[in-house]
Amino acid sequence: MKPLLHMTHKKADPDSFAGVLWGLRIFGGYSLIDTPDLPTRNLIEFLKFKGNFSWNHKLVIVYDTSRYSALPFKPDRFIVVDHHDSIDEKLLLEAEKVIKKPRASLSMNLYDISRECGVSLPEDVLFSFAVALTIDTALLRTARSEELEYLSYFLNGRRMEDVYKVILKGKIKDLGKFIEDLKSLEIIDERRKICFLSFSEDDHFFFFVDTFMYSLDCEIVVGKMSWGTWIYSIKELT
């Protein structure tokens, strides 16, 4: 088999990392995990994963994106494995093969491929799938019966507590700063419950959305960030 490179998109999240880990365990080869976000770094630490990037590859498998702009570099020969609706036609036309099925998480597609091929997945891959699916469904808030069924396969006897530890660890680096961010809370529309806050860290925004938003019965969170404005809505904005 020609040397393979398994590659995430830029700013790797757990779903793209899980794809790379799956590829390594199934096919072997090299890996490129580009600038992983906090949950991905936590997952890498939890699994004691060691990357092995090399330019000595003949074919690249790109996981979890269909956009050229999301690639760490432009490969000469590549395969795309994705689950998003959005596409970059140029990327897909230039790919030697495209494996793509719109789903909540890439992990679900990869699990199906493995099952169809009669491949039993190791524990580290299954756990990375559980973390990826949990994040891709907004900590299970948007999960439906299909996603929950797959999550039960991925957990394989583990507790969800292990997953949440990986996802939430380190979200609040400075408790004092986070408390100051919470003090900036304003409800600017009582009818739609729009919560407006200034956040000193991106992870503070995520943590507020993942925990406080529902407790405060907010439909929309508007975060004033150092780089601009971030908006999270439970429903589609109209």
Side-chain angles (χ1 to χ4, degrees), residues 158-233:
R158 281 187 178 272
R159 296 160 62 101
M160 275 302 296
E161 183 179 31
D162 295 332
V163 174
Y164 286 125
K165 282 180 180 178
V166 167
I167 294 172
L168 298 175
K169 179 184 176 183
K171 286 285 188 181
I172 301 176
K173 301 177 185 69
D174 187 320
L175 182 59
K177 282 186 178 181
F178 182 65
I179 291 173
E180 287 302 313
D181 290 350
L182 291 180
K183 288 180 179 179
S184 70
L185 173 65
E186 295 181 56
I187 306 295
I188 59 177
D189 186 329
E190 287 291 344
R191 181 180 63 85
R192 298 190 71 179
K193 280 282 189 177
I194 301 176
C195 296
F196 181 90
L197 301 92
S198 295
F199 290 101
S200 56
E201 302 279 349
D202 288 2
D203 283 328
H204 292 183
F205 176 87
F206 288 128
F207 189 79
F208 184 88
V209 168
D210 290 337
T211 55
F212 288 88
M213 185 176 183
Y214 285 82
S215 300
L216 294 170
D217 197 26
C218 291
E219 286 189 15
I220 301 170
V221 174
V222 180
K224 182 180 179 183
M225 321 299 293
S226 59
W227 47 264
T229 302
W230 214 339
I231 299 175
Y232 181 90
S233 176

Coordinates of all heavy atoms in Angstrom, one line a residue, residues 158-233:
R158 N -18.5 2.6 28.6 CA -18.0 3.8 29.4 C -19.2 4.6 29.9 O -20.3 4.6 29.4 CB -17.1 4.6 28.5 CG -15.7 4.1 28.3 CD -14.9 5.1 27.5 NE -13.5 4.7 27.3 CZ -12.6 5.0 28.2 NH1 -12.8 5.6 29.3 NH2 -11.3 4.6 28.0
R159 N -18.9 5.6 30.8 CA -19.8 6.5 31.2 C -19.7 7.8 30.5 O -18.6 8.2 30.0 CB -19.6 6.8 32.7 CG -19.8 5.6 33.6 CD -19.1 5.8 35.0 NE -19.6 6.9 35.7 CZ -20.5 6.9 36.7 NH1 -20.9 5.7 37.1 NH2 -20.9 7.9 37.4
M160 N -20.8 8.6 30.3 CA -20.8 9.9 29.7 C -19.9 10.8 30.4 O -19.4 11.8 29.9 CB -22.2 10.4 29.5 CG -22.9 10.0 28.3 SD -22.1 10.3 26.7 CE -22.1 12.1 26.8
E161 N -19.7 10.6 31.7 CA -18.9 11.5 32.5 C -17.5 11.5 32.0 O -16.9 12.6 32.0 CB -18.8 10.9 34.0 CG -18.0 11.8 34.9 CD -18.0 11.2 36.3 OE1 -18.1 9.9 36.5 OE2 -17.9 12.0 37.3
D162 N -16.9 10.4 31.4 CA -15.6 10.5 30.8 C -15.6 11.4 29.6 O -14.6 12.1 29.4 CB -15.2 9.0 30.4 CG -15.0 8.1 31.6 OD1 -14.7 8.6 32.7 OD2 -15.3 6.9 31.4
V163 N -16.6 11.4 28.8 CA -16.7 12.2 27.7 C -16.8 13.7 28.1 O -16.0 14.5 27.5 CB -18.0 11.9 26.8 CG1 -18.2 12.8 25.7 CG2 -17.9 10.4 26.3
Y164 N -17.6 14.0 29.0 CA -17.7 15.4 29.5 C -16.4 16.0 30.1 O -16.1 17.1 29.9 CB -18.9 15.6 30.4 CG -20.3 15.5 29.7 CD1 -21.2 14.6 30.1 CD2 -20.5 16.3 28.7 CE1 -22.4 14.5 29.5 CE2 -21.8 16.3 28.0 CZ -22.7 15.4 28.4 OH -23.9 15.3 27.8
K165 N -15.7 15.1 30.8 CA -14.4 15.5 31.3 C -13.5 16.0 30.2 O -12.8 17.0 30.4 CB -13.8 14.4 32.1 CG -14.4 14.2 33.5 CD -13.7 13.0 34.2 CE -14.3 12.8 35.6 NZ -13.6 11.6 36.3
V166 N -13.4 15.2 29.2 CA -12.6 15.5 28.0 C -13.0 16.8 27.4 O -12.2 17.7 27.1 CB -12.5 14.4 27.0 CG1 -11.9 14.9 25.7 CG2 -11.8 13.2 27.6
I167 N -14.3 17.0 27.2 CA -14.8 18.2 26.5 C -14.7 19.5 27.3 O -14.3 20.5 26.8 CB -16.3 17.9 26.1 CG1 -16.4 16.8 25.1 CG2 -16.9 19.2 25.6 CD1 -17.8 16.4 24.8
L168 N -15.0 19.4 28.6 CA -15.1 20.6 29.4 C -13.8 21.0 30.2 O -13.6 22.1 30.6 CB -16.2 20.5 30.4 CG -17.6 20.3 29.8 CD1 -18.6 20.1 30.9 CD2 -18.0 21.5 28.9
K169 N -12.8 20.0 30.2 CA -11.6 20.3 31.0 C -10.9 21.5 30.4 O -10.6 21.7 29.3 CB -10.7 19.1 30.9 CG -9.3 19.3 31.6 CD -8.5 18.1 31.4 CE -7.1 18.3 32.0 NZ -6.2 17.1 31.7
G170 N -10.6 22.5 31.3 CA -9.8 23.6 31.0 C -10.6 24.8 30.3 O -10.0 25.8 29.9
K171 N -11.9 24.6 30.2 CA -12.7 25.7 29.6 C -12.6 27.0 30.3 O -12.6 28.1 29.7 CB -14.2 25.2 29.5 CG -14.5 24.2 28.5 CD -14.5 24.7 27.1 CE -15.0 23.7 26.1 NZ -15.0 24.2 24.7
I172 N -12.5 26.9 31.7 CA -12.3 28.1 32.5 C -10.9 28.1 33.1 O -10.7 27.4 34.0 CB -13.4 28.2 33.6 CG1 -14.8 28.2 32.9 CG2 -13.2 29.4 34.4 CD1 -15.9 28.2 33.9
K173 N -10.1 28.9 32.4 CA -8.7 29.0 32.9 C -8.5 29.9 34.1 O -7.7 29.7 35.0 CB -7.8 29.4 31.8 CG -7.8 28.4 30.5 CD -7.0 29.0 29.4 CE -7.1 28.2 28.2 NZ -8.4 28.3 27.5
D174 N -9.3 31.0 34.1 CA -9.3 32.0 35.1 C -10.7 32.2 35.6 O -11.5 32.9 35.0 CB -8.7 33.3 34.6 CG -8.4 34.3 35.6 OD1 -9.2 34.5 36.5 OD2 -7.3 35.0 35.5
L175 N -11.0 31.7 36.8 CA -12.3 31.8 37.4 C -12.7 33.3 37.6 O -13.9 33.6 37.3 CB -12.4 31.1 38.7 CG -13.8 31.0 39.4 CD1 -14.8 30.4 38.5 CD2 -13.7 30.3 40.7
G176 N -11.8 34.1 38.0 CA -12.1 35.5 38.2 C -12.6 36.2 36.9 O -13.6 37.0 36.9
K177 N -11.9 35.9 35.8 CA -12.3 36.5 34.5 C -13.7 36.0 34.1 O -14.5 36.8 33.6 CB -11.3 36.2 33.5 CG -10.0 37.0 33.5 CD -9.1 36.6 32.3 CE -7.8 37.4 32.3 NZ -7.0 37.1 31.1
F178 N -13.9 34.7 34.3 CA -15.2 34.2 33.9 C -16.4 34.8 34.7 O -17.4 35.2 34.2 CB -15.2 32.7 34.1 CG -16.5 32.0 33.7 CD1 -16.9 32.0 32.4 CD2 -17.3 31.4 34.6 CE1 -18.1 31.4 32.0 CE2 -18.5 30.8 34.2 CZ -18.9 30.8 32.9
I179 N -16.1 35.0 36.0 CA -17.2 35.7 36.9 C -17.4 37.1 36.4 O -18.6 37.6 36.3 CB -16.7 35.6 38.3 CG1 -16.8 34.2 38.9 CG2 -17.6 36.5 39.2 CD1 -16.2 34.0 40.2
E180 N -16.3 37.8 36.0 CA -16.5 39.2 35.5 C -17.3 39.1 34.2 O -18.1 40.0 33.9 CB -15.1 39.8 35.3 CG -14.4 40.2 36.5 CD -15.2 41.2 37.4 OE1 -15.8 42.2 36.8 OE2 -15.4 40.9 38.6
D181 N -17.1 38.1 33.3 CA -17.8 38.0 32.1 C -19.3 37.8 32.4 O -20.2 38.4 31.8 CB -17.3 36.8 31.3 CG -16.0 37.0 30.7 OD1 -15.5 38.2 30.7 OD2 -15.4 36.0 30.2
L182 N -19.6 37.0 33.4 CA -21.0 36.7 33.8 C -21.7 38.0 34.3 O -22.9 38.2 34.1 CB -21.1 35.6 34.9 CG -20.7 34.2 34.4 CD1 -20.8 33.3 35.6 CD2 -21.6 33.7 33.3
K183 N -20.9 38.9 35.0 CA -21.5 40.1 35.5 C -21.9 41.1 34.4 O -22.7 42.0 34.6 CB -20.4 40.8 36.4 CG -20.2 40.1 37.7 CD -19.1 40.9 38.5 CE -18.9 40.2 39.9 NZ -17.8 40.9 40.7
S184 N -21.4 40.8 33.2 CA -21.8 41.7 32.1 C -23.1 41.3 31.4 O -23.6 41.9 30.5 CB -20.7 41.7 31.0 OG -20.7 40.5 30.3
L185 N -23.7 40.2 32.0 CA -25.0 39.7 31.4 C -26.1 40.8 31.4 O -26.4 41.4 32.4 CB -25.5 38.5 32.1 CG -26.8 37.9 31.8 CD1 -26.8 37.4 30.3 CD2 -27.2 36.8 32.7
E186 N -26.7 40.9 30.2 CA -27.9 41.7 30.0 C -29.0 40.9 29.2 O -28.6 40.3 28.2 CB -27.6 43.0 29.2 CG -26.7 44.0 29.9 CD -26.5 45.2 29.1 OE1 -27.4 45.9 28.7 OE2 -25.3 45.5 28.7
I187 N -30.2 41.0 29.6 CA -31.3 40.4 28.9 C -31.9 41.6 28.1 O -32.5 42.5 28.6 CB -32.4 39.8 29.8 CG1 -31.8 38.8 30.8 CG2 -33.5 39.1 28.9 CD1 -31.2 37.6 30.1
I188 N -31.6 41.6 26.8 CA -32.0 42.7 26.0 C -33.3 42.6 25.2 O -33.7 43.5 24.5 CB -30.9 43.1 25.0 CG1 -30.6 41.9 24.0 CG2 -29.6 43.5 25.7 CD1 -29.5 42.3 23.0
D189 N -33.9 41.4 25.3 CA -35.2 41.2 24.7 C -36.0 40.2 25.6 O -35.7 39.0 25.4 CB -35.1 40.7 23.3 CG -36.4 40.6 22.5 OD1 -37.5 40.4 23.2 OD2 -36.5 40.8 21.3
E190 N -36.9 40.6 26.4 CA -37.6 39.7 27.3 C -38.4 38.7 26.6 O -38.5 37.5 27.1 CB -38.4 40.5 28.3 CG -37.7 41.3 29.4 CD -37.0 40.4 30.4 OE1 -37.4 39.2 30.4 OE2 -36.1 40.8 31.1
R191 N -38.9 39.1 25.4 CA -39.8 38.1 24.7 C -39.0 37.0 24.1 O -39.4 35.8 24.3 CB -40.5 38.9 23.6 CG -41.5 38.0 22.8 CD -42.2 38.8 21.7 NE -41.2 39.3 20.7 CZ -40.8 38.6 19.7 NH1 -41.2 37.4 19.5 NH2 -39.9 39.1 18.8
R192 N -37.9 37.3 23.5 CA -37.1 36.2 22.9 C -36.0 35.8 23.8 O -35.2 34.9 23.4 CB -36.5 36.7 21.5 CG -37.6 37.1 20.5 CD -37.0 37.3 19.1 NE -36.5 36.1 18.6 CZ -35.9 36.0 17.3 NH1 -35.8 37.1 16.6 NH2 -35.5 34.9 16.9
K193 N -35.8 36.4 24.9 CA -34.7 36.1 25.9 C -33.4 36.1 25.2 O -32.7 35.1 25.0 CB -35.0 34.7 26.5 CG -36.0 34.7 27.6 CD -35.4 35.2 28.9 CE -36.4 35.0 30.0 NZ -35.8 35.4 31.3
I194 N -33.0 37.3 24.7 CA -31.7 37.4 24.1 C -30.7 37.8 25.2 O -30.8 38.9 25.8 CB -31.7 38.5 23.0 CG1 -32.7 38.1 21.9 CG2 -30.3 38.7 22.4 CD1 -32.8 39.1 20.8
C195 N -29.7 37.0 25.4 CA -28.7 37.3 26.4 C -27.4 37.9 25.8 O -26.9 37.3 24.8 CB -28.3 36.0 27.1 SG -29.6 35.2 28.1
F196 N -27.1 39.1 26.3 CA -25.9 39.8 25.7 C -24.8 39.8 26.8 O -25.1 40.2 27.9 CB -26.3 41.2 25.3 CG -25.1 42.0 24.8 CD1 -24.8 42.0 23.4 CD2 -24.3 42.7 25.6 CE1 -23.8 42.7 22.9 CE2 -23.2 43.4 25.1 CZ -23.0 43.4 23.7
L197 N -23.6 39.3 26.4 CA -22.5 39.3 27.4 C -21.2 39.7 26.6 O -21.0 39.5 25.4 CB -22.3 38.0 28.0 CG -23.3 37.3 28.9 CD1 -24.2 36.4 28.0 CD2 -22.7 36.5 30.0
S198 N -20.2 40.2 27.4 CA -18.9 40.4 26.9 C -18.0 39.2 27.4 O -18.1 38.9 28.6 CB -18.3 41.7 27.4 OG -19.0 42.8 26.8
F199 N -17.3 38.6 26.5 CA -16.5 37.4 26.9 C -15.0 37.7 26.7 O -14.6 38.2 25.6 CB -16.9 36.2 26.1 CG -18.2 35.6 26.5 CD1 -19.3 35.9 25.7 CD2 -18.4 34.9 27.6 CE1 -20.6 35.4 26.0 CE2 -19.6 34.3 28.0 CZ -20.7 34.6 27.2
S200 N -14.2 37.4 27.7 CA -12.8 37.6 27.6 C -12.1 36.5 26.9 O -10.9 36.6 26.4 CB -12.1 37.8 29.0 OG -12.4 36.7 29.8
E201 N -12.7 35.3 26.8 CA -12.2 34.1 26.2 C -13.2 33.4 25.3 O -14.4 33.4 25.7 CB -11.7 33.1 27.2 CG -10.6 33.6 28.2 CD -9.2 33.6 27.6 OE1 -9.1 33.0 26.5 OE2 -8.3 34.2 28.2
D202 N -12.8 32.9 24.2 CA -13.8 32.1 23.4 C -14.4 30.9 24.1 O -15.6 30.7 24.0 CB -13.0 31.6 22.1 CG -12.7 32.7 21.1 OD1 -13.0 33.8 21.4 OD2 -12.1 32.3 20.1
D203 N -13.5 30.3 25.0 CA -14.0 29.1 25.7 C -15.1 29.5 26.7 O -15.9 28.7 27.1 CB -12.9 28.4 26.4 CG -12.1 27.5 25.4 OD1 -12.7 27.0 24.4 OD2 -10.9 27.4 25.6
H204 N -15.0 30.7 27.2 CA -16.1 31.2 28.2 C -17.4 31.3 27.4 O -18.5 31.0 28.0 CB -15.7 32.6 28.7 CG -14.5 32.6 29.6 ND1 -14.1 33.7 30.3 CD2 -13.7 31.6 30.0 CE1 -13.0 33.4 31.0 NE2 -12.8 32.1 30.8
F205 N -17.4 31.7 26.2 CA -18.6 31.7 25.4 C -19.2 30.3 25.2 O -20.4 30.1 25.5 CB -18.4 32.3 24.0 CG -19.5 32.4 23.1 CD1 -20.5 33.4 23.1 CD2 -19.7 31.3 22.2 CE1 -21.5 33.4 22.2 CE2 -20.8 31.3 21.3 CZ -21.7 32.4 21.3
F206 N -18.3 29.4 24.9 CA -18.8 28.0 24.7 C -19.4 27.4 26.0 O -20.4 26.8 26.0 CB -17.6 27.1 24.2 CG -17.2 27.4 22.8 CD1 -15.9 27.6 22.5 CD2 -18.2 27.3 21.8 CE1 -15.5 27.8 21.2 CE2 -17.8 27.6 20.4 CZ -16.5 27.8 20.2
F207 N -18.7 27.7 27.1 CA -19.1 27.2 28.4 C -20.5 27.8 28.8 O -21.3 27.0 29.3 CB -18.1 27.5 29.5 CG -18.3 26.7 30.8 CD1 -18.0 25.4 30.9 CD2 -19.0 27.4 31.8 CE1 -18.3 24.7 32.1 CE2 -19.2 26.7 33.0 CZ -18.9 25.4 33.2
F208 N -20.7 29.0 28.5 CA -22.0 29.7 28.8 C -23.1 29.0 28.0 O -24.1 28.7 28.6 CB -21.9 31.2 28.5 CG -23.2 31.9 28.9 CD1 -23.3 32.4 30.2 CD2 -24.2 32.1 28.0 CE1 -24.5 33.1 30.5 CE2 -25.4 32.7 28.3 CZ -25.5 33.2 29.6
V209 N -22.8 28.8 26.7 CA -23.8 28.2 25.9 C -24.1 26.8 26.3 O -25.3 26.4 26.3 CB -23.3 28.3 24.4 CG1 -24.2 27.4 23.5 CG2 -23.4 29.7 23.9
D210 N -23.1 26.1 26.7 CA -23.3 24.6 27.1 C -23.9 24.4 28.4 O -24.4 23.4 28.7 CB -21.9 23.9 27.1 CG -21.3 23.8 25.7 OD1 -22.1 23.8 24.7 OD2 -20.1 23.6 25.5
T211 N -23.9 25.5 29.3 CA -24.4 25.3 30.6 C -25.4 26.3 31.1 O -26.5 25.9 31.4 CB -23.2 25.3 31.6 OG1 -22.5 26.6 31.5 CG2 -22.2 24.2 31.4
F212 N -25.1 27.6 31.0 CA -26.0 28.6 31.6 C -27.2 28.9 30.7 O -28.2 29.4 31.1 CB -25.2 29.9 31.9 CG -24.3 29.8 33.0 CD1 -23.0 29.3 32.9 CD2 -24.7 30.1 34.3 CE1 -22.2 29.2 34.0 CE2 -23.9 30.0 35.4 CZ -22.6 29.6 35.2
M213 N -27.0 28.7 29.4 CA -28.0 29.2 28.4 C -29.4 28.7 28.7 O -30.4 29.4 28.7 CB -27.6 28.9 27.0 CG -28.5 29.4 25.9 SD -27.8 29.0 24.3 CE -29.0 29.9 23.2
Y214 N -29.5 27.4 28.9 CA -30.8 26.7 29.2 C -31.3 27.1 30.6 O -32.5 27.2 30.7 CB -30.7 25.2 28.9 CG -30.6 24.9 27.5 CD1 -29.4 24.9 26.8 CD2 -31.8 24.5 26.8 CE1 -29.4 24.6 25.4 CE2 -31.8 24.2 25.4 CZ -30.6 24.3 24.7 OH -30.5 24.0 23.4
S215 N -30.4 27.2 31.5 CA -30.9 27.5 32.9 C -31.5 28.9 32.9 O -32.5 29.2 33.7 CB -29.7 27.5 33.8 OG -29.1 26.2 33.9
L216 N -31.0 29.8 32.1 CA -31.6 31.2 32.0 C -32.7 31.3 31.0 O -33.2 32.4 30.8 CB -30.4 32.2 31.7 CG -29.3 32.3 32.7 CD1 -28.2 33.1 32.1 CD2 -29.9 33.0 34.0
D217 N -33.0 30.2 30.3 CA -34.1 30.2 29.4 C -33.8 31.1 28.2 O -34.7 31.8 27.7 CB -35.4 30.5 30.0 CG -36.6 30.1 29.2 OD1 -36.5 29.2 28.4 OD2 -37.7 30.8 29.3
C218 N -32.6 31.2 27.8 CA -32.2 32.1 26.7 C -32.4 31.4 25.3 O -32.1 30.2 25.2 CB -30.7 32.4 26.8 SG -30.2 33.5 28.1
E219 N -32.9 32.1 24.4 CA -33.1 31.6 23.0 C -31.8 31.9 22.2 O -31.4 31.2 21.3 CB -34.3 32.1 22.3 CG -35.6 31.5 22.9 CD -36.8 31.9 22.0 OE1 -36.6 32.4 20.9 OE2 -37.9 31.8 22.5
I220 N -31.3 33.1 22.5 CA -30.1 33.6 21.7 C -29.1 34.2 22.6 O -29.4 34.9 23.6 CB -30.5 34.7 20.7 CG1 -31.6 34.2 19.7 CG2 -29.4 35.3 19.9 CD1 -32.3 35.3 18.9
V221 N -27.8 33.8 22.4 CA -26.7 34.4 23.1 C -25.9 35.2 22.2 O -25.5 34.7 21.1 CB -25.8 33.3 23.8 CG1 -24.6 34.0 24.4 CG2 -26.6 32.6 24.8
V222 N -25.7 36.5 22.5 CA -24.8 37.4 21.7 C -23.6 37.7 22.5 O -23.7 38.3 23.6 CB -25.5 38.7 21.4 CG1 -24.6 39.6 20.5 CG2 -26.8 38.4 20.6
G223 N -22.5 37.2 22.0 CA -21.2 37.4 22.8 C -20.3 38.5 22.1 O -20.0 38.4 20.9
K224 N -20.0 39.5 22.9 CA -19.0 40.5 22.4 C -17.6 40.0 22.7 O -17.2 39.8 23.8 CB -19.3 41.8 23.1 CG -18.4 42.9 22.6 CD -18.7 44.2 23.3 CE -17.7 45.3 22.8 NZ -17.9 46.6 23.5
M225 N -16.9 39.6 21.6 CA -15.6 39.1 21.8 C -14.5 40.1 21.5 O -14.8 41.2 20.9 CB -15.4 37.8 20.9 CG -16.6 36.9 20.8 SD -17.2 36.2 22.3 CE -15.8 35.1 22.7
S226 N -13.2 39.8 21.8 CA -12.2 40.7 21.4 C -12.0 40.9 19.9 O -11.5 41.9 19.5 CB -10.8 40.2 22.0 OG -10.5 38.9 21.5
W227 N -12.4 39.9 19.1 CA -12.3 39.9 17.7 C -13.5 40.3 16.9 O -13.5 40.4 15.7 CB -11.8 38.5 17.2 CG -12.5 37.4 17.8 CD1 -12.2 36.6 18.8 CD2 -13.8 36.8 17.3 NE1 -13.2 35.6 19.1 CE2 -14.1 35.8 18.2 CE3 -14.7 37.2 16.3 CZ2 -15.3 35.0 18.0 CZ3 -15.8 36.4 16.1 CH2 -16.1 35.4 16.9
G228 N -14.7 40.4 17.7 CA -15.9 40.7 17.0 C -17.1 40.2 17.8 O -17.1 40.2 19.0
T229 N -18.2 39.8 17.1 CA -19.4 39.3 17.8 C -19.7 37.9 17.4 O -19.6 37.5 16.2 CB -20.6 40.2 17.4 OG1 -20.3 41.6 17.7 CG2 -21.9 39.8 18.1
W230 N -20.1 37.1 18.4 CA -20.5 35.7 18.2 C -21.9 35.5 18.6 O -22.3 36.0 19.7 CB -19.6 34.8 19.0 CG -19.2 33.5 18.4 CD1 -19.9 32.8 17.4 CD2 -18.1 32.7 18.8 NE1 -19.3 31.7 17.1 CE2 -18.2 31.5 17.9 CE3 -17.1 32.8 19.7 CZ2 -17.2 30.5 18.0 CZ3 -16.2 31.8 19.8 CH2 -16.2 30.7 19.0
I231 N -22.7 34.9 17.8 CA -24.1 34.7 18.1 C -24.4 33.2 18.0 O -24.1 32.5 17.1 CB -25.0 35.4 17.0 CG1 -24.8 36.9 17.1 CG2 -26.5 35.1 17.3 CD1 -25.5 37.7 16.1
Y232 N -25.1 32.7 19.1 CA -25.6 31.3 19.1 C -27.1 31.4 19.3 O -27.6 32.0 20.2 CB -24.9 30.5 20.2 CG -25.4 29.1 20.3 CD1 -24.7 28.1 19.5 CD2 -26.5 28.7 21.0 CE1 -25.1 26.8 19.6 CE2 -26.9 27.4 21.0 CZ -26.2 26.4 20.3 OH -26.7 25.1 20.3
S233 N -27.8 30.7 18.5 CA -29.3 30.6 18.6 C -29.8 29.2 18.6 O -29.3 28.4 17.9 CB -29.9 31.4 17.4 OG -31.3 31.3 17.4

